Structures are given as structure tokens and as C-alpha cells.
Amino acid sequence: MTTTIIISSALTVLACYAIYLGWATQKRRWAYAGWTGILLSIVTWCLALGVEFGALIGLSLPAIAVWIGIARHAKSEKVKSVIIKPQHIWRWQGKTVVQQVWHILFVLLIQLFAFSVIVVAAMYQLPVSEPKQMATGAILLPLVWGVFAYWYMMSERKVWHVVALVASAAIAGLYLFGVTHG
């Protein structure tokens, strides 16, 4: 176990450094090698500590390592005390405000609820015990929700996301309450 933890730690550090080199030199080979190393390190962390803790540590360490790179490239600058006057007058734009409030409510409430139903339905398909299904769902829910939130916000045609999400959640809900509990 100790050897696997040391190998996992070294692989994580090397993978983060490869991603850094890919960014610094603008070479995709380094970035691809780094991301492959991150995936391998997650697997080795899971082998060393189990799926629950291994996935958590394997996904958390690269995020923490990013701050080392940011601190390395940070430069302190003296802030000038200049008063900046606004260039325009603030005006109420009702349509824009309503659209932004809709996007916030959709992503934070509707999408979270829908993906909770979808992930729970998907976890019932796993051939493992119920506690492992719940742990896997707890790990996957924020990842899936985050990916689809970014996808929704970057998309030009948001209507199709709403339709697909409602349809997927309806199918997952029918499966949950019709098949497993019906």
C-alpha cells in the first residue's frame, strides 16, 4: 500500500508538471501526456486507497498543484490610487436581467434536480452494493452537473439543452419510480 501511494504521488506530480510544460511551451504532446498521467494516477490512487478516497485524492491533488504554478508565476504590482470615473450611465435592461435570472435558476435548481434523478437512476444500474452506489453517485453528481452547466452556458441553442434535460430526467424518473419501486 505504501509503495502504491508513493508511485501515485510521483505520477501525480509528474503529470502536473507535464501539463505545466504543455502550457508553458504550447506543445500539445506534453499536455496530452500530462492528462494521461492524471488519469493513470487516479487509477493508482483508487488501487491504493479504494475508489471513494482514491478518486477524491486523485482529483484533488492536481487542483491543489495548480496553485503552486500560479504562485510561481505571480508578480506583485503596486496599485496606483487612481479614481476611475464611469464611462456610461447604468440603465435597466429588463430582458437581459430576466434571461440571466432564468439561466441561474435553471442551472442551480432545475438542472441540479434533474441530474440528481438521472445519476440516482444510473447508479441503480451498477452491480455493486448500495453504499458503493451512493458513494459513486456522490462523486459523479457534481462532475456531471458541472460539465453540463458549462455546456449549457457556452451553447448558442439553450432550448435543446432544456428539452434534452427534461426528457432525460423524465425517463430516469419513470425508471426509478416505475421499475425499481413500482
Side-chain angles (χ1 to χ4, degrees), residues 30-166:
W30 283 109
Y32 290 147
W35 285 111
T36 304
I38 292 290
L39 291 174
L40 289 174
S41 72
I42 292 170
V43 170
T44 57
W45 278 112
C46 288
L47 291 174
L49 302 174
V51 175
E52 294 86 3
F53 295 112
L56 175 70
I57 291 175
L59 292 171
S60 299
L61 284 181
I64 293 169
V66 166
W67 288 103
I68 296 170
I70 290 172
R72 182 171 178 227
H73 288 286
K75 297 176 184 174
S76 60
E77 296 179 3
K78 188 174 183 180
V79 178
K80 298 176 184 176
S81 60
V82 176
I83 298 174
I84 300 172
K85 296 180 182 178
Q87 297 291 326
H88 63 283
I89 299 172
W90 290 96
R91 294 184 186 171
W92 173 263
Q93 295 180 354
K95 182 180 177 183
T96 305
V97 171
V98 169
Q99 285 177 344
Q100 295 302 322
V101 168
W102 161 250
H103 294 317
I104 291 168
L105 290 176
F106 179 76
V107 169
L108 291 179
L109 298 177
I110 298 169
Q111 199 175 37
L112 176 61
F113 175 74
F115 277 114
S116 297
V117 172
I118 292 168
V119 167
V120 168
M123 291 306 104
Y124 271 117
Q125 300 299 316
L126 294 178
V128 294
S129 64
E130 192 170 317
K132 289 184 180 180
Q133 289 175 346
M134 291 180 358
T136 306
I139 292 170
L140 286 181
L141 179 61
L143 296 174
V144 172
W145 180 38
V147 166
F148 281 95
Y150 283 120
W151 184 30
Y152 171 77
M153 294 310 292
M154 298 300 291
S155 174
E156 299 268 336
R157 296 182 168 186
K158 293 179 178 15
V159 173
W160 294 112
H161 291 272
V162 175
V163 170
L165 183 70
V166 169

